[in-house]
Amino acid sequence: MKVNLRVWRQHDAVDKGRMVEYVVEDASEDMSFLELLDVLNEKLILSGEEPVAFDHDCREGICGTCSMVVDGHPHGPEKATTVCQLHMRKFNDGATITVEPFRAGAFPVIKDLVVDRGAFDKIIQAGGYISANTGSAPEAHSTPVPKANADRSFAAANCIGCGACVAACPNGSASLFLGAKLTHLGEMPQGQPERWERVVNMVETHDDAGFGGCTNTGACATACPKEIPLDVISQLNHDYLKATVGGRRKKA
Amino acid sequence: MSYSDYSEGTPVFDKAAPDGPIETRWERRKFSVKLVNPANKRKVKIIVVGTGLAGGAAAATLGEAGYHVTSFCYQDSPRRAHSIAAQGGINAAKNYRNDGDSVYRLFYDTVKGGDYRSRESNVHRLAEISRQIIDQCVAQGVPFAREYGGLLDTRSFGGVQVSRTFYARGQTGQQLLLGAYQALERQVNAGTVTMYPRHEMLELIVVEGRARGVVVRDMITGEIESHLADAVVLATGGYGNVFYLSTNAKGCNVTASWRAHRKGALFANPCFTQIHPTCIPVSGDHQSKLTLMSESLRNDGRVWVPKQIGDSRDPREIPHEERDYFLERKYPSFGNLVPRDVASRAAKEVCDEKRGVGPSGLGVYLDFDDAIQRLGRKAVEAKYGNLFEMYERITGENPYEVPMRIFPAVHYTMGGLWVDYDLQSTIPGLYVAGEANFSDHGANRLGASALMQGLSDGYFVLPVTIGDYLASNKLPEVAPDAPEVVEAEKAVTDRIESLLSINGSRTVDSFHRELGHIMWDYCGMERTEDGLRKALELIPELRREFWNNVKIPGTGAELNQSLEKAGRVADFLELGELMCLDALHRKESCGGHFRGESQTEDGEAQRDDENFSYAAAWEYTGRGSAPVLHKEELLFEYVHPTQRSYK
Ligand SMILES: Cc1cc2nc3c(=O)[nH]c(=O)nc-3n(C[C@H](O)[C@H](O)[C@H](O)COP(=O)(O)OP(=O)(O)OC[C@H]3O[C@@H](n4cnc5c(N)ncnc54)[C@H](O)[C@@H]3O)c2cc1C
Ligand code: SF4
Ligand code: FES
């Protein structure tokens, strides 16, 4: 099949950037979207041009590295699918496809489709963990976890940290990402001692990193390739209020 | 002198393992280590390269202990290391099922599963530690699968008879890695760990015979930086991508290990690679990686091909009598559940007989029709729903209706840098953990044991043993402009410059694919003397062409993904040659290494304990120049070698 690509090219962080058009004549239905870019890049290299830089690693939808906006959708139009798992059979022969980087104030572009998502690591550093030094753990079965909590925790822990929620949000908020981590840890008995401290510190770091506020548009959950449910944001708000206004957070 | 005229050097010994009763060896080793004075720890610097289960766990734990840790990974965040992709689970001898499991049984299964080519002391320690790993991960909040009573669920995995595999749906690696990643970020916050993502290690710095630092490239600016320390840990994963197509993430590479090998670290059993039987077949030349379908599918799916050569009917129209359920036929007692190497080879055989299915003829059916009839579609969906969806997303076919097509793919590398019981390589001060070392799986790794080993090394072994080295040795500070540092940096910049100046007419990927084909054809599921000799001619030719004709656009002073790949492929082009030589010299079949010349009458692997009961540790002598073989004899005091049989 043949596809026309309009791809964002930007040499580095200071370059203004522009859309550039390419045609790939020999695409195949069985290719993944990233394999289409591979084919394009092989051609570009041989014709002496620089290939399109894009982030990727596992190519099976789990590492969260791949990140691009395809036809206006972070990770492309297919529901619950990362762009590395998006296949060309979902497009029509002759289609024109637009490819851009994830755009958000907190994710500056590094080159072409590659952005800096380091702010996510900072949010986790602020409290996205349970403090349990190696060797200090009690026997695993000493704390049973009701299956319902374990399952809800798992559903939230599923987040791959890709940033599509931020790219989809008109405010560039990372509330879905934040809520996912708070729900993962907050559903576990092990997560209780640090629960209130955690939410306040993570939210502060989120705001300082330049992410916007949440206005409940729900665009994040629609874009999320792991279908993180929107109710993790309610959990986030609930915990935050309890910690601050409710006075649960005890300053050390 | 040709590359294959290797010579044999002095044997290599594991001096670190205590002898005496195996159950107390680790206890005694822990007691004998010298301890670093807690007040001094923050003055001691440790570099950890890699943030997968092994490296992430090690850096976090060393940080908690108070050391000053510097950590590197090539991804944009430590959370994305390849460990994230592990699906099935992690073994631990908890015996929660009361089904007769024990540390000794896990030890026994692992030594046997490794086809008697691993070290008993290491494996026993791994089995002991397995239990603590689960405790640690639960304390961190890892959401393992649980039963209604709130206790942990387990399943059986990979042909063992006890249910000892802990799991988090099909995403166990992800959840364990996030646990380690979060512990690591906690230490970043505490100031004990400095994290450098998007930094690739390109050289090891060795001063007075000891590992004292690394040279890295900032992958965004292209800047070359040296980092110095008192000890260096490599936890940089496996080298399956030497085959180009594998289940590994695209960036997985051998560069860190290979750079250390070139500086004197012995590389052990490079030819021991694991080929996983249930992967989605190649769909065309554009294929960039292969996707694993969990092994658990073989619990209910039946593997078959048409009896008739050239039978191109729709599989649903082929009646049962005209199907060959070849695993059930050949291995009546284990059937579809034979170990990975056996299942992979059997699939290759039927494809060699031209009975393979799918457009390329390189595939076999994995059919759920009987399971759906027996259990109902709902039950099958509950068990495998997410895997079926993934399959459909990639192939466009619905496995509830049409049988899946699967084919073996390269998955894991048992070989790696040689380490002693303390995980120290032959370069003092250089420690190697996780898939990057060769230590615990012998010639074949059992399912759900790599995650266990990575976390055992990182959380529990290395933090103890590295302390012994640091407390026992005086390590004078290395000046940033010491000749060894300058030289290592220069080696890196020279290499980048020479790569960029070639400006030939072939892309890096085209070389990588060609190398992959050579490796798969001659050093894949079945190896023969003739094939390996052929590969040993082809690889150096390809390497020469690479260094004369590769084309890398752009410069070194920017984000340049072609340049990154070129450096990795250059190292694979050396490693591949060593793998073929190792496979050639090991004339026996064992585990994942099947030599066509060494099989039993009915086509099963034939081990040769008399001549090959050793780990082969190779010493580098220059690019393309014959290496030196150092043997580590393996002693089996507890588990006595027998021929594996799954009939
Ligand atoms: C698809 C798949 C499924 C699997 N399922 C299971 C399973 O169910 N159970 C099981 O036990 N095992 C499984 N395995 C095997 C297991 O996942 C791996 O063996 C294990 O995770 C390796 O961990 P590691 O820490 O050694 O390395 P990795 O997780 O590979 O980490 C390597 C790290 O090193 C860094 N790195 C590499 N080179 C450099 C360099 N030059 N400079 C800087 N950094 C570098 C990377 O950035 C990364 O952080 C699976 C493997 C695959 C491919
Ligand atoms: S919540 Fe969803 S979209 Fe956001 S980072 Fe996590 S997986 Fe990606
Ligand atoms: S490349 Fe890993 S999720 Fe897409």
Side-chain angles (χ1 to χ4, degrees):
Chain A
M1 64 194 278
K2 175 185 159 184
V3 287
N4 307 301
L5 287 169
R6 299 179 61 233
V7 184
W8 183 258
R9 302 300 311 257
Q10 177 175 340
H11 190 261
D12 51 31
V14 290
D15 182 17
K16 269 199 0 245
R18 73 219 70 92
M19 297 301 289
V20 178
E21 296 188 8
Y22 303 102
V23 182
V24 179
E25 304 271 359
D26 50 350
S28 132
E29 293 219 310
D30 290 327
M31 281 177 182
S32 71
F33 195 77
L34 300 189
E35 285 168 347
L36 177 79
L37 293 183
D38 290 343
V39 171
L40 170 67
N41 278 345
E42 290 290 284
K43 290 195 187 12
L44 291 178
I45 295 170
L46 291 178
S47 64
E49 282 181 65
E50 277 201 45
V52 179
F54 64 93
D55 265 330
H56 65 100
D57 205 21
C58 75
R59 296 202 176 191
E60 37 185 273
I62 192 74
C63 72
T65 310
C66 61
S67 43
M68 58 188 79
V69 175
V70 178
D71 284 342
H73 305 277
H75 288 303
E78 191 68 9
K79 187 170 158 272
T81 304
T82 53
V83 68
C84 61
Q85 294 262 285
L86 177 65
H87 277 70
M88 292 314 294
R89 68 179 71 87
K90 302 288 176 186
F91 295 89
N92 296 327
D93 195 7
T96 297
I97 306 171
T98 308
V99 194
E100 294 166 277
F102 277 4
R103 295 197 191 276
F107 291 167
V109 174
I110 294 171
K111 182 174 188 169
D112 297 339
L113 306 174
V114 177
V115 301
D116 181 356
R117 289 169 289 188
F120 268 12
D121 290 332
K122 294 220 170 65
I123 293 179
I124 299 298
Q125 282 155 27
Y129 46 74
I130 289 169
S131 299
N133 279 4
T134 304
S136 63
E139 154 56 44
H141 267 178
S142 62
T143 318
V145 183
K147 190 165 169 13
N149 298 84
D151 287 350
R152 182 157 189 256
S153 176
F154 179 86
N158 214 353
C159 163
I160 57 174
C162 64
C165 46
V166 179
C169 176
N171 312 317
S173 168
S175 290
L176 197 66
F177 170 79
L178 253 181
K181 189 46 61 192
L182 291 167
T183 307
H184 161 206
L185 301 175
E187 282 289 329
M188 291 281 183
Q190 293 86 349
Q192 299 314 310
E194 294 165 297
R195 182 165 175 183
W196 315 110
E197 194 67 24
R198 175 183 305 125
V199 62
V200 175
N201 290 339
M202 287 177 75
V203 168
E204 269 173 19
T205 306
H206 168 273
D207 296 352
D208 290 349
F211 293 103
C214 173
T215 52
N216 286 315
T217 66
C220 51
T222 310
C224 175
K226 294 292 140 180
E227 303 190 291
I228 299 295
L230 208 51
D231 71 7
V232 301
I233 299 185
S234 321
Q235 182 82 54
L236 152 68
N237 293 332
H238 169 268
D239 279 15
Y240 187 75
L241 274 178
K242 255 193 163 164
T244 52
V245 183
R248 290 290 182 92
R249 179 202 197 197
K250 306 246 171 0
K251 274 272 184 207
Chain B
M1 198 174 74
S2 94
Y3 184 79
S4 50
D5 294 328
Y6 68 90
S7 57
E8 196 174 322
T10 47
V12 51
F13 292 107
D14 173 14
K15 295 194 212 78
D19 46 20
I22 199 157
E23 316 78 58
T24 55
R25 280 182 198 168
W26 178 229
E27 213 40 58
R28 282 178 288 131
R29 178 68 191 122
K30 279 196 284 187
F31 185 68
S32 70
V33 300
K34 289 213 178 83
L35 301 176
V36 179
N37 179 342
N40 290 339
K41 279 189 179 158
R42 77 192 148 77
K43 292 182 227 144
V44 177
K45 276 186 151 178
I46 303 174
I47 284 172
V48 180
V49 189
T51 60
L53 289 182
T61 305
L62 292 166
E64 288 162 6
Y67 292 108
H68 182 141
V69 180
T70 313
S71 163
F72 301 92
C73 70
Y74 69 74
Q75 292 91 347
D76 70 327
S77 164
R79 66 179 290 151
R80 307 201 200 284
H82 169 60
S83 295
I84 200 103
Q87 303 173 351
I90 177 167
N91 289 329
K94 281 287 201 184
N95 194 29
Y96 285 159
R97 293 284 176 141
N98 201 21
D99 56 3
D101 200 10
S102 63
V103 166
Y104 197 84
R105 189 179 294 279
L106 176 54
F107 158 66
Y108 176 90
D109 288 347
T110 309
V111 172
K112 175 177 176 227
D115 218 2
Y116 307 96
R117 291 295 173 264
S118 54
R119 208 187 266 152
E120 282 190 334
S121 307
N122 283 57
V123 177
H124 197 281
R125 175 177 65 192
L126 178 63
E128 284 170 56
I129 290 175
S130 70
R131 299 179 299 182
Q132 268 172 290
I133 294 173
I134 301 301
D135 298 341
Q136 182 60 33
C137 295
V138 165
Q140 293 171 338
V142 169
F144 282 118
R146 289 184 182 260
E147 295 173 333
Y148 283 97
L151 300 179
L152 295 163
D153 193 14
T154 54
R155 59 185 176 198
S156 60
F157 206 74
V160 295
Q161 282 142 330
V162 291
S163 179
R164 63 159 77 101
T165 305
F166 294 78
Y167 66 102
R169 250 182 256 174
Q171 287 150 245
T172 317
Q174 178 195 32
Q175 294 309 321
L176 296 174
L177 184 64
L178 291 180
Y181 158 72
Q182 288 166 195
L184 175 68
E185 293 296 2
R186 174 171 165 245
Q187 291 310 305
V188 172
N189 191 45
T192 58
V193 176
T194 313
M195 181 70 229
Y196 293 88
R198 290 203 203 264
H199 277 68
E200 182 163 26
M201 170 189 161
L202 295 176
E203 200 52 86
L204 180 74
I205 298 172
V206 180
V207 180
E208 287 172 4
R210 296 178 187 279
R212 295 305 302 269
V214 295
V215 181
V216 296
R217 178 171 179 271
D218 178 327
M219 294 159 77
I220 296 177
T221 63
E223 213 165 309
I224 304 299
E225 309 160 1
S226 293
H227 293 259
L228 299 170
D230 298 294
V232 177
V233 178
L234 297 187
T236 43
Y239 51 86
N241 278 351
V242 66
F243 291 85
Y244 186 71
L245 289 181
S246 83
T247 62
N248 289 7
K250 289 294 287 175
C252 291
N253 68 89
V254 75
T255 289
S257 295
W258 198 254
R259 298 284 117 195
H261 176 54
R262 291 175 58 121
K263 284 264 163 104
L266 300 186
F267 204 115
N269 300 335
C271 81
F272 286 171
T273 47
Q274 179 167 80
I275 297 191
H276 198 293
T278 52
C279 301
I280 299 178
V282 174
S283 71
D285 291 339
H286 56 263
Q287 191 91 28
S288 60
K289 77 151 284 169
L290 294 169
T291 303
L292 178 77
M293 299 299 292
S294 169
E295 185 144 55
S296 61
L297 291 169
R298 286 198 280 143
N299 286 323
D300 288 300
R302 297 180 71 192
V303 176
W304 66 274
V305 290
K307 282 190 176 157
Q308 197 66 39
I309 293 177
D311 187 341
S312 57
R313 280 176 289 173
D314 181 318
R316 288 166 293 188
E317 280 161 20
I318 302 181
H320 271 264
E321 341 45 279
E322 292 177 43
R323 300 174 175 189
D324 178 13
Y325 293 91
F326 55 93
L327 291 178
E328 297 167 27
R329 171 172 59 80
K330 293 177 71 172
Y331 307 100
S333 59
F334 277 73
N336 293 297
L337 292 175
V338 289
R340 292 175 179 180
D341 52 334
V342 178
S344 295
R345 235 176 11 255
K348 176 185 184 295
E349 250 169 52
V350 296
C351 293
D352 286 350
E353 294 163 19
K354 304 252 179 297
R355 293 193 289 139
V357 300
S360 63
L362 295 176
V364 300
Y365 291 124
L366 177 62
D367 198 337
F368 288 85
D369 200 30
D370 289 346
I372 292 172
Q373 307 234 344
R374 182 165 43 91
L375 307 165
R377 179 170 162 146
K378 264 235 155 71
V380 171
E381 199 174 323
K383 265 182 157 165
Y384 307 114
N386 55 346
L387 293 169
F388 280 30
E389 270 170 39
M390 173 158 93
Y391 181 84
E392 185 167 1
R393 209 174 290 137
I394 293 172
T395 62
E397 287 176 359
N398 177 354
Y400 293 104
E401 321 234 303
V402 197
M404 279 185 182
R405 281 177 295 113
I406 55 165
F407 198 65
V410 173
H411 178 57
Y412 183 88
T413 51
M414 280 76 70
L417 291 178
W418 186 91
V419 289
D420 65 11
Y421 186 69
D422 284 355
L423 305 182
Q424 186 166 217
S425 72
T426 47
I427 300 178
L430 179 69
Y431 287 74
V432 190
E435 193 174 337
N437 73 28
F438 90 115
S439 68
D440 297 358
H441 307 293
N444 175 51
R445 173 178 71 79
L446 289 181
S449 286
L451 302 181
M452 168 172 76
Q453 183 225 332
L455 289 180
S456 166
D457 287 359
Y459 282 134
F460 296 104
V461 178
L462 213 142
V464 174
T465 56
I466 205 169
D468 186 55
Y469 172 80
L470 295 164
S472 320
N473 291 288
K474 270 215 151 53
L475 299 163
E477 191 151 343
V478 176
D481 58 354
E484 293 88 345
V485 180
V486 176
E487 202 182 299
E489 270 184 36
K490 187 170 176 315
V492 171
T493 39
D494 286 355
R495 192 155 176 268
I496 290 175
E497 266 171 42
S498 45
L499 283 169
L500 287 168
S501 65
I502 299 166
N503 197 21
S505 64
R506 277 184 72 177
T507 64
V508 177
D509 274 4
S510 84
F511 283 102
H512 196 176
R513 275 176 206 276
E514 187 172 338
L515 174 66
H517 279 300
I518 298 173
M519 296 304 293
W520 180 249
D521 288 346
Y522 302 116
C523 198
M525 270 185 283
E526 181 175 344
R527 296 133 179 211
T528 63
E529 163 118 23
D530 289 349
L532 291 163
R533 288 204 183 277
K534 173 110 200 235
L536 284 168
E537 284 168 24
L538 295 173
I539 296 170
E541 272 170 36
L542 185 66
R543 191 169 59 222
R544 263 190 298 279
E545 196 197 337
F546 174 89
W547 283 100
N548 285 306
N549 195 24
V550 72
K551 184 174 180 80
I552 304 161
T555 70
E558 59 183 330
L559 176 69
N560 186 337
Q561 293 175 325
S562 303
L563 177 63
E564 292 161 16
K565 285 197 262 188
R568 296 172 192 160
V569 172
D571 289 335
F572 281 140
L573 281 163
E574 295 182 18
L575 166 77
E577 192 176 29
L578 183 64
M579 287 170 71
C580 291
L581 177 61
D582 186 42
L584 180 68
H585 113 282
R586 192 173 282 276
K587 293 190 163 63
E588 64 163 351
S589 296
C590 60
H593 170 63
F594 187 81
R595 276 291 297 262
E597 300 89 343
S598 180
Q599 42 184 309
T600 61
E601 269 171 24
D602 42 8
E604 300 304 323
Q606 176 86 58
R607 244 186 18 244
D608 176 359
D609 292 329
E610 202 151 313
N611 294 303
F612 291 99
S613 182
Y614 61 82
W618 298 94
E619 178 188 339
Y620 185 82
T621 62
R623 184 192 293 162
S625 124
V628 179
L629 170 66
H630 300 269
K631 292 180 182 172
E632 181 194 341
E633 285 303 327
L634 298 170
L635 276 182
F636 295 91
E637 298 170 79
Y638 293 85
V639 188
H640 296 291
T642 52
Q643 202 72 29
R644 291 189 311 167
S645 168
Y646 296 94
K647 288 273 165 190

